[in-house]
Structures are given as C-alpha cells and as structure tokens.
Amino acid sequence: MFDVVTGGAGFIGSHLVDTLVAQGNEVLVIDSLCAGRRETIARHIDGCKVRFVQTDLLGDGWQEHIEGADRLFHLAADPDVRQSAINPDPTMQNNIMATYRVLEAMRLHKVPELVFTSTSTVYGDAKVIPTPEDYAPLLPISVYGASKLACEALISSYCYSFGMKAWIYRFANIVGDRSGHGVITDFIRKLKANPAELEILGDGKQVKSYLEVHECVAAMLFALRAREMVNIFNIGSEDWIDVRSIAEIVAEEMHLPEVKFRFTGGERGWVGDVPKMQLSIERIKSRRWKPELGSRESVRMATRDLLKS
C-alpha cells in the first residue's frame, strides 16, 4: 500500500504516519512545516521508511510525487478557529484552495481514494446533541468551520464526477502528545508564564467532547472498511467535559493547587466558539468501534504527555 499524507509532520498527521509505517506501508509525507515539525517523523525519514517532500500545497512541483499512490490522507490545513475570525484569507487559501489543488492532483494522477479530516464545527450551534452525521441544516458559525464544509462539498463533487472514493471524518477535539494548539496547550503555556493565575476565555462553562489522538487514528483507519463513494463519520468520545474542569486537571498535573482562575466572561470563549458540542458516534459504533477513553481521561493523558514533551 502506497499512502500519501499531507500535513504528515503535524499533530495528528505524525501519529497517523507512525501507524502507517508500523503497518509496513510505503509512505510519502508532504508538509510545508509551517505548523508541523520534521522531528516528529525524522526517525522514519532517516530510516528510509518515509519519503518527505517539504513544500506548500499552494505551490507546484509536489503533484508528480503522488503518482501511483493508493490513498491520500489530506490533513494539511489551517486549524486556527480564532484566527480565522481575525484574518480569514489564510483559512480560505490553506483549507479550500489547498484541498481543491489536492483533488486536481489526484484526478490528474489517478489516485483513487481520499481521506479528509473535517471538524465538528461544520455543525455550528447544533440543536441536536449528541449531533449525528445527518444533522441539518449545516450552518457553521466560524470561517474555519465554513472552510471545512466547503472542502467536504468539493470532495463529494469530485467523487461523483471522477469516480473517486472518500472518507470524511468530522472530529471532536483531538488532544495528545505533539499538539501545538488548543485549550490544554494554551493553559500549560499560560501557567508556565504565570503559575499564580490562569486566564480562561469565556465563562468556563463551555462543554465539549475530547478524544486522545491514538484513539482518533485507530478510528480513522477502522472506518476505511466502509466502501461507499463518500463515507462520513463523526469521531469523538461519548461524553464531554467543561473548560473549568480542564483547567483544574492541568493545574493538578502541574502541581499548582493554589492557582486562581480568571474568566474573561461570556458564553463563548471567542468569535466562532461553539459553547456546547458532543458528536453522536453511533454510525462508527454500529461498525463495532468505540473509544476506550472518555473526555476526562483523554484530557488528563494529553496533559501528562504534553508536560513530558
């Protein structure tokens, strides 16, 4: 099996690469290293288990490298929800345009299968929680969520127009070792700078689902057994945790029992923040996969791993 992974030096991508290499697959990683780090996959590159092309998907010269691939995992994206409300252009370019260019390269080089990492934010402020894959209407409230939904539409159109197959995974909050953004890394960074006080965006009552990254990768590969033209799966845990509880876990793991919490106030932590999110994972559970960890356990494990790194 010849797999291509865009964004393969990033957080989820590097863990996926670890698993694909362990399975004995031929792996090509395409990453600009704008957000990813070469050292996350350096041992595979140095051991000739992975070919690495450092380039931007918005440029040219990478397309011929995917010739002969069996499957392309497209994880490269601009993941910053908050920044997309300040400067939308990088999100538009790195998500929508980059995905279009990937699809065109696949069409021209006859790569038959695409795996795309989408997001729970495509659902917006869902009225049904846990939210199933067939929930409608999809009304994202962030530019980031809108960009991912646009990518989903492009992928569907290419599958039906050009005979490709696709797996679209709508993620809950994925956490763990090598993560470079998100609430846990934000709290750790703030507490290292000021161990006496922690600023928490919003009122701390936002509740969301969290899943540890190794379980996420396992679910991604498990769901490849579905063989429709376009396969959409939610991937997350079966519960949720509030932001204040995450802060308490991080402070506990950093041995800071006296830290003071300071809330910025409001239901949303930032523009585009969804205050309540839990995905229904009944579709993937019906195929006999379910997570072993809940949100609280995933957050604690991720905190410990990040503090060790």
Side-chain angles (χ1 to χ4, degrees):
M1 176 70 77
F2 173 19
D3 292 317
V4 178
V5 184
T6 71
F11 167 41
I12 300 173
S14 63
H15 287 284
L16 172 64
V17 168
D18 288 345
T19 302
L20 295 175
V21 169
Q23 290 179 345
N25 296 7
E26 178 185 355
V27 181
L28 166 68
V29 170
I30 301 174
D31 200 305
S32 68
L33 299 185
C34 181
R37 294 179 295 125
R38 188 184 187 278
E39 53 263 37
T40 62
I41 55 170
R43 66 193 183 283
H44 302 313
I45 299 170
D46 297 342
C48 300
K49 301 290 186 180
V50 165
R51 287 188 292 136
F52 178 59
V53 175
Q54 182 179 344
T55 190
D56 193 320
L57 294 174
L58 297 174
D60 287 316
W62 57 268
Q63 290 90 336
E64 60 267 23
H65 292 282
I66 73 171
E67 182 96 42
D70 298 294
R71 183 179 295 138
L72 189 149
F73 294 84
H74 181 36
L75 282 73
D78 184 339
D80 197 330
V81 180
R82 279 183 267 180
Q83 192 62 32
S84 73
I86 299 169
N87 181 13
D89 190 65
T91 303
M92 294 292 104
Q93 295 296 321
N94 294 319
N95 293 0
I96 300 174
M97 285 306 301
T99 298
Y100 164 68
R101 290 174 62 81
V102 165
L103 287 165
E104 266 297 276
M106 290 179 64
R107 180 179 71 86
L108 294 171
H109 293 282
K110 297 180 169 53
V111 178
E113 297 183 356
L114 173 70
V115 177
F116 177 69
T117 52
S118 189
T119 168
S120 64
T121 61
V122 299
Y123 295 115
D125 278 325
K127 301 298 187 292
V128 177
I129 299 176
T131 312
E133 290 88 348
D134 58 2
Y135 175 82
L138 296 179
L139 299 173
I141 63 170
S142 66
V143 174
Y144 170 76
S147 73
K148 285 290 192 174
L149 185 57
C151 290
E152 290 190 17
L154 274 173
I155 291 165
S156 177
S157 70
Y158 264 71
C159 287
Y160 283 98
S161 297
F162 305 113
M164 301 175 183
K165 280 189 170 64
W167 289 259
I168 294 170
Y169 297 137
R170 294 172 178 165
F171 287 165
N173 293 289
I174 309 303
V175 295
D177 187 28
R178 306 176 194 165
S179 175
H181 74 283
V183 65
I184 300 174
T185 54
D186 185 46
F187 286 170
I188 291 173
R189 177 183 57 79
K190 288 178 177 177
L191 286 172
K192 284 182 176 179
N194 181 7
E197 182 180 81
L198 175 63
E199 178 192 67
I200 299 176
L201 302 180
D203 58 13
K205 298 177 182 178
Q206 305 98 310
V207 285
K208 301 180 186 183
S209 175
Y210 292 80
L211 183 69
E212 202 275 330
V213 65
H214 292 94
E215 295 216 89
C216 172
V217 170
M220 290 173 64
L221 298 177
F222 179 90
L224 293 175
R225 301 177 188 185
R227 301 301 298 178
E228 301 298 326
M229 184 165 284
V230 178
N231 306 273
I232 299 178
F233 289 96
N234 288 336
I235 294 180
S237 61
E238 295 187 272
D239 60 0
W240 57 17
I241 184 173
D242 64 82
V243 173
R244 184 187 181 102
S245 295
I246 295 174
E248 291 170 350
I249 290 172
V250 174
E252 181 182 334
E253 292 297 328
M254 294 181 72
H255 308 291
L256 299 171
E258 304 301 323
V259 63
K260 178 184 176 182
F261 296 155
R262 177 170 57 83
F263 301 93
T264 61
E267 167 181 61
R268 303 180 193 275
W270 56 85
V271 175
D273 183 27
V274 177
K276 292 184 179 181
M277 182 279 291
Q278 184 185 349
L279 299 177
S280 168
I281 60 168
E282 292 305 312
R283 180 174 292 178
I284 194 169
K285 279 179 63 181
S286 71
R287 296 175 178 271
R288 300 183 182 277
W289 182 90
K290 63 179 294 184
E292 296 182 3
L293 301 175
S295 292
R296 181 174 292 272
E297 294 84 3
S298 294
V299 166
R300 189 173 294 277
M301 181 181 292
T303 302
R304 290 176 178 173
D305 287 340
L306 289 166
L307 288 171
K308 286 188 295 187
S309 62

